Amino acid sequence: MKIVKNRQFKAKVTVDFPTDEDTVETQSFTALFRALSVPELAEHHLLDAAGQDAFLADVLIGWDGLTDDRDGEDVPLIFSPEARTMILTDVFVRRAVIDTYQAQLVGAKRGN
């Protein structure tokens, strides 16, 4: 086992968007996360928007599979702090990113 000080990992973020027809539209992208240490995690307070903002700025460090509609054409949305802030203003995206990070921490994908 190799100990890595600044561990990163990718995970599929699945976002459920409610529709007008009382159904859900599911979309996804791949997020690049930074794994926080236990002391770093303890510093974050996820019960308010400011705490979530700080947490998400620390952990969401990149992505693949997001596009931006510019002049009717989908173009890749390049990661930047400004783009991160923009996508995380959507409550459904924000919740999905936090849930995905937390699921990876507790090993939900491994069945633990």
Side-chain angles (χ1 to χ4, degrees):
M1 179 174 84
K2 181 177 181 180
I3 302 299
V4 178
K5 185 175 181 178
N6 292 308
R7 186 173 307 277
Q8 299 177 359
F9 62 94
K10 290 183 178 182
K12 181 180 179 181
V13 176
T14 301
V15 184
D16 292 329
F17 295 101
T19 67
D20 292 340
E21 292 83 36
D22 199 29
T23 60
V24 173
E25 177 184 337
T26 300
Q27 298 181 26
S28 64
F29 67 97
T30 301
L32 176 61
F33 291 111
R34 181 173 79 88
L36 299 180
S37 66
V38 172
E40 288 173 314
L41 278 171
E43 293 175 6
H44 290 288
H45 305 282
L46 299 180
L47 297 179
D48 61 54
Q52 290 175 5
D53 288 341
F55 171 76
L56 291 164
D58 277 353
V59 301
L60 183 59
I61 60 172
W63 58 60
D64 290 313
L66 283 176
T67 57
D68 190 12
D69 181 13
R70 292 191 193 148
D71 300 324
E73 184 178 327
D74 288 342
V75 296
L77 181 60
I78 306 300
F79 179 84
S80 69
E82 296 80 17
R84 177 181 53 215
T85 298
M86 180 189 70
I87 71 160
L88 294 174
T89 60
D90 184 303
V91 67
F92 302 105
V93 174
R94 184 183 195 90
R95 182 182 66 206
V97 170
I98 292 171
D99 289 351
T100 300
Y101 185 89
Q102 291 177 330
Q104 292 297 310
L105 287 185
V106 297
K109 294 239 175 208
R110 292 187 295 272
N112 292 339

